[in-house]
Amino acid sequence: MANRATRPIFAPVDIAEHERRLARGLVEALPEPILIVADGRIVVSNDAARAVLAGATEGADVRLAIRHPAALERLLGEDTAADEVALVGVGGPERRWALRVSPLSGGLRLVRLADRSDAHAAEQMRVDFVANASHELRTPLATLVGYAETLREAGDEVDAATRARFTAIIHDEARRMQRLVEDLISLSRIEGEKFSPPGDAVDLAALLEETGRAAANAAAQRGCRIAIEAPAGLPPVAGDRAQLLQLYDNLVANALRYGRSGGTVRISAAAHGEEVRTAVADDGEGIAKEHIPRLTERFYRVDATRSRSAGGTGLGLAIVKHIVERHRGRLVIESEPGRGTIVTVTLPAAAAAGAPS
């Protein structure tokens, strides 16, 4: 009985180790990189931190994990202000982070890294967009002003043929600005609707035929033929008819613009399970591989001079991409120099085959 009375009911608990395990469990549950630091050494780190910070193992010197003067001053100094420290290049050359240090009891410090890469990329895209839009508008505007001033100041000295040429240039540049502004407005409207997927049932075969008819004059000017292959009984797609018409108008216009003069633009459609896959193909010069990932960027052009002379605004494929995203579809661009370009758009079929819109 005496032996039984002196035997401990519970095993002794190492309080420090228990707290460490508890902290480790909490930190590992968080998706962002987290460190707990004491006296310049890492006490606890989670998987996210170890993936981003080389050397962020428990027990390691924090200076080996975070090699940034401002961050180390916050980590090792007396300043415990809540201001964020911006880190660039940690975990990758383009990665950007906001580091925040919070004091804990017992001299511990909680270090959190918030990924700001996407926010920075979005802001940079906005800055680039404004700069590019300003440039695209400034160029035709300068032409308009130049020719208009010439006609105003020396109108009596300009012969009829030169006057006609000047006015034609003014008209063309004004139309170019108008197309650009219309595309900018359209892109803004589509982006504003991207979180509201359309639900109308759209007869895609009829829409492609309408696209072909609308492009007939442009095709005739290029000496091109538009061939449409859409099987009977093609299921309707869930979509916004006006936006889908704009999408295929842009794709066919691009195919005519950059396809071979006298060639054929082929438009095809086919059902694939619960989706409808369409393709617009040209037989033009094609596009080098390195350009393809950037074709849907706003104002990106493989050949800027040729694009402008052909009437392009540099926004057509950006509009296409955003329309496809709003329709929860997929966009694939395939091209090879000398073998033309194929743009494939896959859209979900309408849930219920009602009357086409």
Side-chain angles (χ1 to χ4, degrees), residues 208-220 223-229 248-249 252-253 255-256 262-268 280-281:
L208 294 178
E209 290 289 344
E210 183 177 344
T211 299
R213 290 193 298 271
N217 287 337
C224 294
R225 186 173 71 93
I226 297 177
I228 302 175
E229 301 173 8
Y248 290 106
D249 281 346
V252 172
L256 290 171
T264 300
V265 172
R266 302 186 183 279
I267 309 172
S268 60
V280 177

Side-chain angles (χ1 to χ4, degrees), residues 317-330:
L317 286 177
I319 290 173
V320 167
K321 182 190 78 168
H322 283 85
I323 292 176
V324 170
E325 288 178 350
R326 189 199 170 203
H327 284 71
R328 307 306 188 258
R330 299 189 303 280

Side-chain angles (χ1 to χ4, degrees), residues 117-129:
S117 303
D118 290 343
H120 178 267
E123 175 61 18
Q124 188 60 48
M125 186 180 297
R126 185 192 67 81
V127 172
D128 292 344
F129 173 69

